[in-house]
Amino acid sequence: QVHLQESGGGLVQAGGSLRLSCVVSGTIFSPNVMAWYRQIPGKERELVARFWGGARDYADSVAGRFTISRDKAWKTVYLQMDSLKSEDTALYYCYFQIRSRDYWGQGTQVTVSS
């Protein structure tokens, strides 16, 4: 049974940094998409960053501040968040696509105080 375990969320002051991690277990197959989404209260869930098609892309709002990365075994995806703003406060979800199926983490809260 595939399970995604997120960690790294918390409270940070504006301008600070956090690193989110998401580890997949329960499968021997590698994901073809690894991504981070976030949901701000009152807004739809939005894509923050992803690996796909052999490349990485970012939402305009985080480009230059956030970095998505992974381990060589394709088991862990990270989101390094620098220069955090209050607007980054949200529930962050990791997402893996494995063998054409979608898997989501439970979400980890990131709160940025100004």
Side-chain angles (χ1 to χ4, degrees):
Q1 295 180 341
V2 177
H3 180 251
L4 273 58
Q5 181 64 57
E6 298 161 320
S7 62
L11 176 65
V12 65
Q13 293 184 345
S17 298
L18 285 174
R19 190 187 192 195
L20 306 183
S21 299
C22 179
V23 181
V24 65
S25 61
T27 180
I28 64 171
F29 300 102
S30 298
N32 54 16
V33 179
M34 306 171 79
W36 287 94
Y37 288 75
R38 69 184 180 187
Q39 189 162 23
I40 298 170
K43 297 183 179 181
E44 295 183 347
R45 188 175 299 185
E46 64 176 343
L47 177 67
V48 177
R50 67 180 170 186
F51 283 108
W52 81 291
R56 297 176 291 180
D57 57 18
Y58 299 91
D60 290 342
S61 59
V62 307
R65 300 187 297 117
F66 290 11
T67 304
I68 188 169
S69 61
R70 61 167 179 84
D71 67 342
K72 294 181 179 180
W74 296 86
K75 291 291 187 179
T76 307
V77 64
Y78 304 96
L79 185 67
Q80 178 66 43
M81 303 183 292
D82 297 319
S83 301
L84 282 161
K85 304 175 181 179
S86 60
E87 297 93 323
D88 296 318
T89 296
L91 190 63
Y92 284 73
Y93 299 89
C94 63
Y95 164 86
F96 283 24
Q97 185 182 83
I98 304 172
R99 302 180 74 197
S100 300
R101 295 184 178 184
D102 301 327
Y103 299 94
W104 293 89
Q106 294 296 310
T108 184
Q109 179 67 39
V110 172
T111 302
V112 184
S113 62
S114 59

